[in-house]
């Protein structure tokens, strides 16, 4: 056997050993921390807030791509011309050990015009001047905003009405600080959706939530007229 043949055989043996003898990669953990949940959306300043809202430091790992799927859903539902649509989930803040009905969820959909300034409030609910309107209580928060975007054909004349909601937050007490934590999480998620949709002026949402955000008075139900 010539030198070239020997070199080839040695090379093949080295390659086979490199693939067969290398240790198996460690299996991926089924859990992530607050910096990794929701595709890393909250990494940085909001990690502690997310932990407080979901009452957890470890979260179930979920498949990625939620933002892209959500934006595609909003685009299709807007193009349909419907007044309202079911939308979809952005992600879940699913605490380790939690059951599906306990998971904190971030969900977005197209809302009908009469949903804003709707009369009557849930117990402990506060209204804020954010977007078209924001509402929050100890277990939930939501923001109504309008989006004009080149990705939404016709939105110059008919802005997309989008609602972002956070549900099933952990009950930490009805203080304003806790309510604002819920609102801060859905505000940040709404801003990310507005940026992904290329909404003009980020749909009027500020980059950071002002802790002194102006509260709005509750909207009263019209008085009933006795017949």
């Amino acid at each position: 056997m010539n030198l070239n043949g020997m070199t080839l055989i040695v090379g093949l043996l080295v390659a086979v050993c490199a693939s067969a003898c290398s240790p198996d990669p460690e299996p991926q953990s089924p859990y992530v921390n607050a910096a990794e949940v929701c595709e890393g959306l909250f990494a940085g300043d909001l990690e502690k807030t997310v932990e407080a809202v979901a009452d957890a430091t470890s979260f179930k790992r979920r498949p990625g791509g939620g933002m892209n799927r959500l934006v595609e859903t909003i685009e299709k539902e807007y193009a349909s011309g419907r007044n309202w649509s079911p939308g979809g989930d952005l992600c879940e803040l699913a605490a380790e050990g939690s059951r599906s009905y306990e998971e904190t969820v971030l969900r977005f959909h197209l809302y009908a015009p009469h949903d804003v300034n709707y009369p009557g409030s849930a117990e402990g609910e506060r209204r804020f001047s954010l977007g078209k309107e924001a509402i929050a209580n100890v277990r939930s928060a939501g923001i109504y905003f309008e989006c004009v975007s080149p990705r939404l054909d016709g939105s110059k004349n008919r802005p997309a009405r989008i609602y972002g909601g956070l549900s099933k937050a952990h009950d930490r007490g009805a203080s304003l600080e806790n309510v604002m934590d819920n609102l801060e999480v859905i505000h940040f998620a709404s801003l990310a959706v507005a940026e992904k949709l290329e909404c003009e002026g980020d749909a009027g949402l500020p980059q950071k939530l002002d802790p002194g955000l102006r509260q709005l008075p509750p909207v009263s139900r019209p008085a009933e007229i006795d017949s």
Side-chain angles (χ1 to χ4, degrees):
M1 182 179 294
N2 59 30
L3 182 59
N4 288 338
M6 287 292 295
T7 302
L8 178 61
I9 291 173
V10 171
L12 289 172
L13 289 173
V14 170
V16 169
C17 186
S19 60
C21 303
S22 59
D24 293 333
E26 292 186 9
Q28 193 176 48
S29 170
Y31 304 108
V32 297
N33 58 29
E36 299 172 277
V37 76
C38 293
E39 303 176 69
L41 179 62
F42 303 107
D45 295 342
L46 281 188
E47 291 172 27
K48 293 298 182 184
T49 304
V50 167
E51 291 176 353
V53 167
D55 190 32
T57 57
S58 180
F59 301 85
K60 297 175 186 176
R61 184 184 296 277
R62 293 292 164 83
M67 176 66 82
N68 289 334
R69 285 194 300 272
L70 174 64
V71 167
E72 289 174 4
T73 296
I74 290 175
E75 289 174 336
K76 289 177 182 177
E77 291 179 341
Y78 175 80
S80 74
R82 296 172 60 181
N83 196 37
W84 172 90
S85 75
D89 292 349
L90 173 61
C91 62
E92 301 89 15
L93 307 177
E96 180 180 348
S98 65
R99 300 173 183 176
S100 59
Y101 62 83
E102 301 171 323
E103 295 174 357
T104 304
V105 178
L106 302 176
R107 186 175 183 84
F108 289 76
H109 65 78
L110 300 182
Y111 69 86
H114 62 260
D115 289 345
V116 171
N117 297 322
Y118 191 80
S121 299
E123 184 177 355
E125 187 173 86
R126 302 171 188 252
R127 298 175 62 239
F128 297 90
S129 177
L130 180 66
K132 303 303 290 185
E133 178 189 35
I135 53 175
N137 60 30
V138 70
R139 295 298 310 276
S140 65
I143 301 176
Y144 299 88
F145 59 96
E146 292 187 351
C147 175
V148 175
S149 167
R151 299 183 62 159
L152 301 170
D153 187 34
S155 59
K156 278 282 188 185
N157 298 319
R158 182 175 63 92
R161 299 181 301 270
I162 302 173
Y163 172 79
L166 175 149
S167 61
K168 299 182 182 177
H170 176 65
D171 189 343
R172 290 104 59 216
S175 70
L176 179 59
E177 180 181 2
N178 292 336
V179 169
M180 290 297 291
D181 282 348
N182 294 345
L183 188 58
E184 188 169 21
V185 170
I186 194 59
H187 161 260
F188 197 83
S190 298
L191 181 61
V193 170
E195 290 175 345
K196 186 70 175 179
L197 273 170
E198 301 176 29
C199 301
E200 291 183 2
D202 293 333
L205 301 175
Q207 287 295 311
K208 286 189 175 292
L209 196 63
D210 183 354
L213 188 65
R214 181 167 64 92
Q215 291 194 51
L216 302 174
V219 180
S220 301
R221 295 184 185 277
E224 294 185 1
I225 302 175
D226 295 332
S227 57

